[in-house]
Amino acid sequence: MLKINTDLHTHTVASGHAYSTVDEMAKGAFTKGIKLIAITDHGPQMPGGPHIYHFGNISIVPDKLYGVRIIKGVEANILDKGRLDLEAEDLERLDFVSAGLHRLTGHNLKNKKAYTEATIKAMENPYLDMITHPVQKEYPLDLERVAKAAAENNVILELNASSYSPKKDHTRGIKSQSLRLLKLAKEYGFKLAVNSDAHFHDEIGEYSSLNFIFESEEFDKNLIINRSPEKVISYLKNREKRLAQLKKSV
Ligand SMILES: [Zn+2]
Ligand SMILES: [Zn+2]
């Protein structure tokens, strides 16, 4: 069985509805044998979420805690017309940028077409690395269009373990759609990430709710960008180069 020992989607107390500190998250990761985590607190439009200063100052957090590599990131909110709730000058300071559609964040998106178009627009943001929970009941997306845009913009699509967590009082995932992402990834050539979306330290690296994916005939570990810390580090190095290039050309 494939053991994924990284996690690119975790939340701390800064998110307002998560319950562990950065220190506790790092310790939790260490205890579970997870070698690398991205701290991706919600963007400022999330009720109770962090102030913009949170992201401006996150560089003071050590790159390693308890031997666990800490990637400083965000889960920004996708707003109307695919705008994110952090500007380029804020995103620039972060190592890893993910974004997703969330309730009560001030967007006025009302149907599948609007969710899809905002998501695609967000993917055109050069700082964006990953779309979180592209499969969720509340915000259905045209996965074919999103897959195509993910490949064109080199954006990762997420397989989100929390969407199928038995601990949640409602699950937002749709298994057939998550399985479809495996096929689409092969067809269009974008990458997937397996993440917990932990809101408490004991959830880090908890992927057993995704066993239906790992057991699928379509599953291929080579599609998973975070299958090892080395793969993530190499992705981040390329990202840095790409963004430096972009800056030069502006
Ligand atoms: Zn989310
Ligand atoms: Zn999240």
Side-chain angles (χ1 to χ4, degrees), residues 98-116:
S98 65
L101 285 161
H102 298 100
R103 286 172 63 225
L104 306 174
T105 51
H107 67 72
N108 200 25
L109 303 163
K110 290 209 164 68
N111 53 44
K112 184 171 175 176
K113 186 164 180 274
Y115 309 145
T116 302

Side-chain angles (χ1 to χ4, degrees), residues 13-157:
V13 280
S15 279
H17 58 274
Y19 311 95
S20 301
T21 62
V22 173
D23 198 77
E24 289 163 344
M25 295 300 272
K27 251 189 230 166
F30 170 74
T31 309
K32 294 184 144 232
I34 302 296
K35 310 281 187 214
L36 174 151
I37 59 170
I39 300 286
T40 52
D41 281 305
H42 286 288
Q45 283 288 111
M46 174 64 69
H51 189 274
I52 200 89
Y53 279 22
H54 168 90
F55 302 100
N57 203 27
I58 198 169
S59 62
I60 67 161
V61 173
D63 290 334
K64 258 193 177 178
L65 274 171
Y66 308 101
V68 176
R69 178 73 194 265
I70 310 289
I71 307 297
K72 291 113 188 206
V74 62
E75 183 184 19
N77 294 296
I78 299 177
L79 307 175
D80 293 341
K81 299 192 173 129
R83 210 166 54 77
L84 301 183
D85 58 348
L86 288 167
E87 302 294 335
E89 65 199 62
D90 309 310
L91 296 173
E92 200 181 34
R93 300 165 189 255
L94 298 171
D95 303 325
F96 188 75
V97 175
S98 65
L101 285 161
H102 298 100
R103 286 172 63 225
L104 306 174
T105 51
H107 67 72
N108 200 25
L109 303 163
K110 290 209 164 68
N111 53 44
K112 184 171 175 176
K113 186 164 180 274
Y115 309 145
T116 302
E117 280 168 8
T119 301
I120 291 174
K121 201 73 200 156
M123 285 197 264
E124 290 168 8
N125 185 320
Y127 292 100
L128 190 82
D129 296 291
M130 179 174 80
I131 293 292
T132 56
H133 40 72
V135 172
Q136 54 176 336
K137 285 176 193 156
E138 194 171 4
Y139 295 113
L141 299 177
D142 181 333
L143 284 186
E144 188 96 27
R145 288 183 67 191
V146 168
K148 197 163 170 263
E152 277 168 14
N153 295 290
N154 203 15
V155 169
I156 304 160
L157 299 184

